[in-house]
Amino acid sequence: MSNLDREAVPSPCGGRGFVVTEPVRELLSPRNVKLGESTEVRRLLPNLGRRMVGAWCFVDHYGPDDIADEPGMQVPPHPHMGLQTVSWLHEGEVLHRDSTGSLQTIRPRQLGLMTSGRAISHSEESPRPHARLLHGAQLWVALPDAHRHTDPHFEFHAELPRVTAPGLAATVLLGTLDTATSPGTTYTPLVGADLALTGATDVRLPLERDFEYAVLAMSGEAHVDGVPLVPGSMLYLGCGRDELPLRADSDAELMLLGGEPFEEELIMFWNWIGRSQEEIVQARRDWMEGSRFGEVKGYDGAPLPAPALPAVPLKPRGRTR
């Protein structure tokens, strides 16, 4: 799943100007976005109050949706550059295809990690037949300048490391949590972890003091540093924490996102991350002309056309509120 908004607007991201260097509790409300005919997502990043968390720059939460009599996820071929996409499911399946020839069905708690590098295109769809429910998150990680022109590639990791404590089971998607390190490739210091809490749990999760963090609520209700979170909401936590108190009176599922604050200034427009207007203009031209981003073979449908560019110049900026 990606940004299918036909009225795309540029998002200024990056820079340390608005990094909160001490612990905070900043609750982010989602924006509902319609994707295709049957999927609606709750967009948490970029947000009017917060553009990035470490290198994490895009977070959509969707479901659980009953798609028994629906086509489910149907995202036609579209391009990416300058980022990684992270597909993460709690229920259902997603079939990934891309222009490098990758074809992979992703299931719950399996990592689908696509590094776009200089250019890639892909599609995502619910298989036929598919499970009744679809529930998950789609996330992007911005690539630093030194690696944003790397060769595009796709990784699939069916088995991921876990961290356990009484009442807590944490699956590490990316980076390192406590002593567990994901096999997924990263290009900046960051972490992504899926947290499953059972009822009557009161634990403290170890953190890195130099990272900034946020927690996305996937299901159930939990208290994160004393703040109640309901599904589809996200709590920004700032930096300067050694541990994070978590409490759940009943079963709940969360995602922990964190990393060193991203210093570079970016332009995020549609499904591209660049550093200048010229890069975005060239990417749009290349996609519309059918060059550079390759071809996704096997998808039953036409590729997505790119939205029109805004009339005002696109400028890279730091974090803005």
Side-chain angles (χ1 to χ4, degrees), residues 2-318:
S2 296
N3 185 4
L4 306 189
D5 195 339
R6 304 305 303 148
E7 302 295 331
V9 296
S11 295
C13 298
R16 288 181 178 258
F18 284 89
V19 175
V20 180
T21 57
E22 59 187 18
V24 297
R25 301 175 187 86
E26 182 181 297
L27 189 62
L28 305 181
S29 299
R31 175 170 64 95
N32 291 336
V33 178
K34 189 76 172 179
L35 298 184
E37 297 180 357
S38 57
T39 302
E40 185 173 87
V41 303
R42 291 165 287 278
R43 184 154 299 163
L44 283 308
L45 286 181
N47 192 291
L48 289 176
R50 182 65 48 189
R51 298 295 186 182
M52 297 182 75
V53 178
W56 299 97
C57 60
F58 183 94
V59 176
D60 276 353
H61 173 245
Y62 56 91
D65 296 323
D66 188 336
I67 59 170
D69 299 319
E70 303 288 344
M73 184 181 294
Q74 297 295 324
V75 181
H78 57 280
H80 286 289
M81 73 175 190
L83 57 91
Q84 293 177 290
T85 65
V86 178
S87 298
W88 189 251
L89 289 169
H90 277 195
E91 295 181 275
E93 307 92 20
V94 171
L95 178 62
H96 166 95
R97 306 175 192 265
D98 68 44
S99 55
T100 70
S102 301
L103 178 65
Q104 180 66 55
T105 299
I106 303 167
R107 296 183 171 87
R109 271 77 178 189
Q110 297 178 340
L111 176 63
L113 176 63
M114 186 181 75
T115 300
S116 67
R118 61 180 177 271
I120 200 171
S121 57
H122 75 139
S123 64
E124 295 156 294
E125 58 188 304
S126 295
R128 302 185 185 91
H130 53 68
R132 182 181 188 91
L133 295 178
L134 181 64
H135 181 205
Q138 182 72 22
L139 313 101
W140 296 357
V141 179
L143 291 173
D145 189 62
H147 298 286
R148 66 191 182 99
H149 298 297
T150 191
D151 292 338
H153 59 275
F154 178 77
E155 300 175 39
F156 174 70
H157 300 284
E159 300 294 332
L160 295 167
R162 303 180 81 200
V163 174
T164 59
L168 168 69
T171 303
V172 185
L173 289 69
L174 288 178
T176 298
L177 179 67
D178 197 14
T179 59
T181 299
S182 166
T185 302
T186 58
Y187 296 90
T188 57
L190 55 74
V191 66
D194 186 273
L195 312 177
L197 303 173
T198 58
T201 293
D202 195 340
V203 297
R204 290 178 177 268
L205 193 68
L207 300 181
E208 298 288 338
R209 176 168 285 271
D210 292 338
F211 281 18
E212 60 175 342
Y213 290 95
V215 172
L216 168 66
M218 295 290 289
S219 63
E221 182 174 331
H223 288 73
V224 178
D225 198 18
V227 179
L229 285 189
V230 297
S233 62
M234 188 160 75
L235 184 67
Y236 176 72
L237 296 162
C239 296
R241 295 174 180 268
D242 296 310
E243 60 182 14
L244 181 63
L246 301 171
R247 180 172 64 83
D249 297 325
S250 57
D251 293 355
E253 295 172 313
L254 309 167
M255 290 191 74
L256 175 74
L257 306 174
E260 284 189 0
F262 199 83
E263 295 200 31
E264 299 173 29
E265 297 183 343
L266 312 173
I267 296 173
M268 188 163 72
F269 178 77
W270 198 41
N271 294 300
W272 301 304
I273 290 181
R275 302 300 191 276
S276 68
Q277 163 138 344
E278 290 72 23
E279 288 182 5
I280 301 299
V281 170
Q282 186 63 53
R284 186 183 187 280
R285 181 182 300 119
D286 291 343
W287 174 245
M288 296 300 287
E289 292 177 352
S291 63
R292 179 180 166 194
F293 290 94
E295 179 184 358
V296 179
K297 297 181 179 179
Y299 183 83
D300 185 17
L304 283 173
L309 291 165
V312 298
L314 303 177
K315 296 181 179 180
R317 301 180 188 275

